[in-house]
Amino acid sequence: MSYNLKIMRTIKALQKFQHAIVAVDTVIFCVAENKLKILLIEMKRAPYTGKWAIPGGLVMPDESLEESVVRHLKTKTGLSGFYFEQLHAFGKVDRDYRGRVVSVAFLSLLSSDQVNLKTSADYADIKWFDVNRVPKLAYDHKEILATALLRLRARIGHTNVIGGLLPDKFTLSELQQAYELILGKTLDKRNFRKKILATKMLVETKEKFIGSFRPAVLYKFKDKKIKEVNIL
Amino acid sequence: MSYNLKIMRTIKALQKFQHAIVAVDTVIFCVAENKLKILLIEMKRAPYTGKWAIPGGLVMPDESLEESVVRHLKTKTGLSGFYFEQLHAFGKVDRDYRGRVVSVAFLSLLSSDQVNLKTSADYADIKWFDVNRVPKLAYDHKEILATALLRLRARIGHTNVIGGLLPDKFTLSELQQAYELILGKTLDKRNFRKKILATKMLVETKEKFIGSFRPAVLYKFKDKKIKEVNIL
DNA sequence: TCAAAAGTGTTCGTGCTACACCCATGC
DNA sequence: GCATGGGTGTAGCACGAACACTTTTGA
């Protein structure tokens, strides 16, 4: 596979034309094992061999930014059908050693039941990391991750995006745990339940989650569409 | 001047390399004559002759996105020293007839005492338009403007960005008027003053604005830096 | 019967909304 | 002295924060 080589040749060629080209990168969050996690890939080719990075790639002329996100994630991670939204464009001159690439970063939320990673020949490895324990990242991906975390924290207070992190049906305790992991602080159970139910975003199902202890009512989101709601 | 011709040739050449290139566009708002206004330029060259557009241009490989914004606005409008922040990247495939260009849009606020427009040989005209009466716009600039307006409305409720729209010293009535123009609704004078003063963003100066009627206390922003504050 | 998580209300303080009149000045 | 915008306070209500015990189940 000479995909990376091809990219490097392309970028070199572009230098002649004196213009920046576009890539997309997607910060993918997931809640699992009581942790907020992010998906990273380990790169194979020089000059980034062994470095971890947020998955992404160059944008082709016949695809929109969103189509490019879908294509890269499908081919590099095997994932599809997830929610994502645009985060920010990163355009420092030296952010990629190989040439002038402006990256439009996206923020994506995945429920743990959607996780079904495929490995790719182009990458050494692909893994979930606790957001509090990420390895050294390539390019300016540390900055992108920091921006994504800030955005995520702000968004869950004003929209129903958090639905993307949960399975179809979930208990209020699971939902509260997701909020607590993202916000990095504990919330009062009674106040949380009052506020969440007051938003009318959720509907009670007839089912219950049967664990070792008292069964919990399962809820689902009334509407999968992302909308503005005052929550916290 | 063969600048546009050069761009078209560049874009054509880039098609061969199968990658998208980057531009920046800046939506510049200003309050004047009791209206919220936006700066537009009238284009000269085909295929957009006579169309109005948001000012911007391609990003060079040796400049960051922000540096590119500054350069384009300096050369195209003569403006400098203003506040701006990133808005959104627009990347539909057909947004520019000439080729595949992804535009990173910025939002800028200008105080009327900063306005000192220069005309440029590359453009037919440059003018301020009432945001409620903009002409047909080129590219996808109608969508960019709509996004900028939504963002502006959201931002003035949570940050002190509105300072960018006002002169150094201003009366509370001027500030309230700016809010009303942006939000498109009237606000209660007593409640507005209470809330604004409660944020501690402003400091009273010793000066007064002397008009035909009762003099008004002039205020200024305590801090020019943009920060998060709950306002409305 | 014990361990573990589910579920439930009230009090208090803060902040938002609605609303009307007097003040200082120039003409 | 009058026209014009500048400037001020209060009462009622809704919402957020703090806080502890009972219930249900499996082992």
Side-chain angles (χ1 to χ4, degrees), chain A residues 188 190-191 194-195 212 214-215:
Chain A
D188 180 83
R190 280 169 293 189
N191 292 337
K194 251 182 297 175
K195 278 193 278 187
S212 343
R214 175 172 177 175

Side-chain angles (χ1 to χ4, degrees), chain B residues 167-227:
Chain B
D168 190 48
K169 291 167 188 159
F170 50 88
T171 67
L172 290 185
S173 296
E174 287 177 292
L175 181 59
Q176 181 174 347
Q177 189 190 84
Y179 272 97
E180 290 178 341
L181 287 172
I182 294 169
L183 297 175
K185 65 180 180 191
T186 59
L187 301 171
D188 180 84
K189 186 165 42 159
R190 277 169 297 186
N191 292 339
F192 177 78
R193 290 160 109 93
K194 249 183 297 176
K195 280 194 279 188
I196 278 294
L197 294 175
T199 64
K200 310 272 188 192
M201 292 189 308
L202 304 181
V203 280
E204 201 174 323
T205 68
K206 306 249 177 239
E207 298 168 67
K208 302 215 170 196
F209 172 77
I210 313 286
S212 344
F213 310 108
R214 176 173 176 175
V217 172
L218 287 166
Y219 287 81
K220 48 200 286 190
F221 276 88
K222 197 177 286 177
D223 195 349
K224 286 266 173 191
K225 289 280 153 261
I226 301 308
K227 54 182 172 187

